[in-house]
Amino acid sequence: MVTEYLKTIGIKTNQPVGRGFLYPYDVAFSSEGTIYALNRGSLGQRVGTRVQMFNFEEDWLGEFGEGRGTGPSNFMIPISMAFNSDDCLHVTDQGAGEIKVFDSAGIPIRQIGNSEDQKINLTEPSGIAIDSEDNIYVTDQARNCVTKIDQEGSVEFTVGELGDGPGQFNMPWGLTVDSSGFIYIADWRNDRIQKLSPFGDFISSYGESGSGEGEFNRPSSVAVDSGGTIYVTDWGNERVQVLDSNGSFIQMLRGQATLSQWAEQWLDANQDELTARNRSNLKIDWLPVHLRSPYQVSAQTEHLFWGPVSAKIDKSDRLFVTEHSRARIQVYKVGK
């Protein structure tokens, strides 16, 4: 067993403030270990868009963000987050075409990419990663490229174009940078992970379209642990795949969720809901053939991943898998 399930964090809420998630999309970790969750909220209802803070023990620590909008504290379509060495949180806002930067308390610092004083061209930024030297790497879904920005705010390179060849992309989504500076990109519509050198040169490609081992259906995010093991949220197949450092398949994760402390506390205070839950069948063992797609199985089986959109590794080598459809985060201990 490469990974071991630890716990689930989260509960669904339709409230615009307070503890709980509505379409969470990513997590990031401060130097002190505080967990920041990007809550995209309901875009149609224009509520719940914010960043929430808590610790591994699930103590609620606060939130920031002023909902939908283009101001420094607002978000249009936030996608991904990353901290630099100064504990500045960088959030990609695909709808606003920029990266918003906050301090660890949520105070806006600056906006990158869509301001008049910037020379950085971002159209639909999605994934973001920051290396040990505070260089920023961001994917742009509309332009099918990856851009590296140094800590002074200058573009070091932009690589990629629309296509399915080496170094080409089709709506790239999440990305990460390993300890040696290699870049891994979830090439969403090409159903693969591409690995680039620290200078943006193509190194290798992992995966192809499909539902088998090492095959992907719209991979949305990629993470690499301290040992070089690769974790891919295989979004369209409702699972996470674990690959070795050469891209070979190791393990399939389907989800093992249990109730979070937040959920247990809510159910304890809402006994009618608890009674209804105890009467329900939350694990479906058999479904008719026409209801056996990955989406349909996950939608009807509570412990499975449903909408695994992001994979992140914290400093303790714990894997956090964010599920937008079930409004929770499953946490796993990474094996060696």
Side-chain angles (χ1 to χ4, degrees):
M1 185 73 176
V2 176
T3 60
E4 176 186 349
Y5 173 78
L6 293 177
K7 67 183 300 183
T8 295
I9 300 173
I11 186 173
K12 187 172 183 178
T13 180
N14 290 317
Q15 299 302 310
V17 297
R19 188 175 66 171
F21 304 138
L22 183 63
Y23 300 113
Y25 254 63
D26 198 18
V27 296
F29 316 99
S30 72
S31 61
E32 295 181 349
T34 299
I35 304 167
Y36 289 65
L38 180 58
N39 198 68
R40 198 167 87 168
S42 172
L43 298 181
Q45 297 177 353
R46 304 175 68 88
V47 297
T49 306
R50 62 195 189 272
V51 176
Q52 298 160 286
M53 301 176 286
F54 47 91
N55 59 26
F56 189 74
E57 289 71 35
E58 298 179 62
D59 297 316
W60 175 253
L61 303 177
E63 63 189 358
F64 60 89
E66 298 176 2
R68 293 265 288 172
T70 57
S73 295
N74 301 99
F75 303 100
M76 292 299 291
I77 306 177
I79 300 292
S80 185
M81 305 188 297
F83 274 102
N84 69 6
S85 63
D86 293 325
D87 267 348
C88 295
L89 182 65
H90 295 60
V91 184
T92 58
D93 189 337
Q94 188 179 75
E98 64 189 10
I99 301 168
K100 299 179 187 292
V101 185
F102 304 85
D103 68 14
S104 59
I107 305 301
I109 297 174
R110 64 183 182 276
Q111 294 163 266
I112 301 172
N114 195 26
S115 302
E116 292 181 359
D117 60 345
Q118 297 286 345
K119 297 180 181 179
I120 299 169
N121 184 9
L122 298 176
T123 304
E124 292 186 6
S126 49
I128 189 170
I130 301 178
D131 67 18
S132 59
E133 297 180 352
D134 284 340
N135 297 303
I136 302 169
Y137 304 79
V138 59
T139 55
D140 193 315
Q141 286 194 343
R143 297 171 59 222
N144 297 292
C145 65
V146 178
T147 295
K148 178 181 180 181
I149 306 166
D150 68 20
Q151 57 185 309
E152 304 299 326
S154 299
V155 174
E156 290 210 356
F157 63 70
T158 295
V159 296
E161 61 183 0
L162 178 62
D164 57 8
Q168 296 178 324
F169 303 101
N170 194 339
M171 293 186 68
W173 195 333
L175 82 165
T176 193
V177 181
D178 69 15
S179 59
S180 298
F182 290 95
I183 310 160
Y184 301 75
I185 301 101
D187 192 0
W188 195 68
R189 275 193 171 169
N190 282 326
D191 294 328
R192 63 186 181 183
I193 302 299
Q194 291 202 63
K195 180 179 179 180
L196 307 182
S197 78
F199 308 102
D201 300 314
F202 175 80
I203 299 294
S204 57
S205 176
Y206 311 137
E208 58 185 32
S209 299
S211 58
E213 295 179 352
E215 298 175 340
F216 303 116
N217 181 11
R218 303 303 188 253
S220 58
S221 178
V222 57
V224 180
D225 68 20
S226 61
T229 302
I230 303 166
Y231 305 83
V232 181
T233 51
D234 190 3
W235 181 80
N237 284 319
E238 306 286 358
R239 63 192 185 184
V240 173
Q241 294 201 58
V242 185
L243 313 177
D244 67 17
S245 58
N246 296 314
S248 297
F249 174 82
I250 298 177
Q251 185 184 6
M252 194 80 71
L253 304 179
R254 291 296 312 279
Q256 296 174 249
T258 52
L259 286 176
S260 70
Q261 291 183 30
W262 298 354
E264 289 175 346
Q265 291 165 3
W266 190 87
L267 288 168
D268 186 57
N270 294 270
Q271 289 294 309
D272 289 346
E273 294 286 347
L274 178 60
T275 299
R277 177 186 173 81
N278 290 337
R279 291 174 179 169
S280 300
N281 180 10
L282 301 173
K283 182 178 180 180
I284 307 300
D285 294 319
W286 184 88
L287 289 169
V289 174
H290 69 285
L291 293 178
R292 292 181 190 174
S293 72
Y295 178 90
Q296 291 165 325
V297 171
S298 289
Q300 299 175 80
T301 313
E302 188 189 48
H303 70 279
L304 298 179
F305 293 129
W306 190 24
V309 67
S310 167
K312 287 290 182 67
I313 305 287
D314 71 0
K315 292 183 179 179
S316 299
D317 260 354
R318 294 180 297 211
L319 171 67
F320 288 67
V321 181
T322 303
E323 300 173 68
H324 63 63
S325 293
R326 278 220 168 82
R328 67 189 180 189
I329 301 161
Q330 293 194 44
V331 188
Y332 293 78
K333 180 180 178 181
V334 171
K336 299 297 181 184

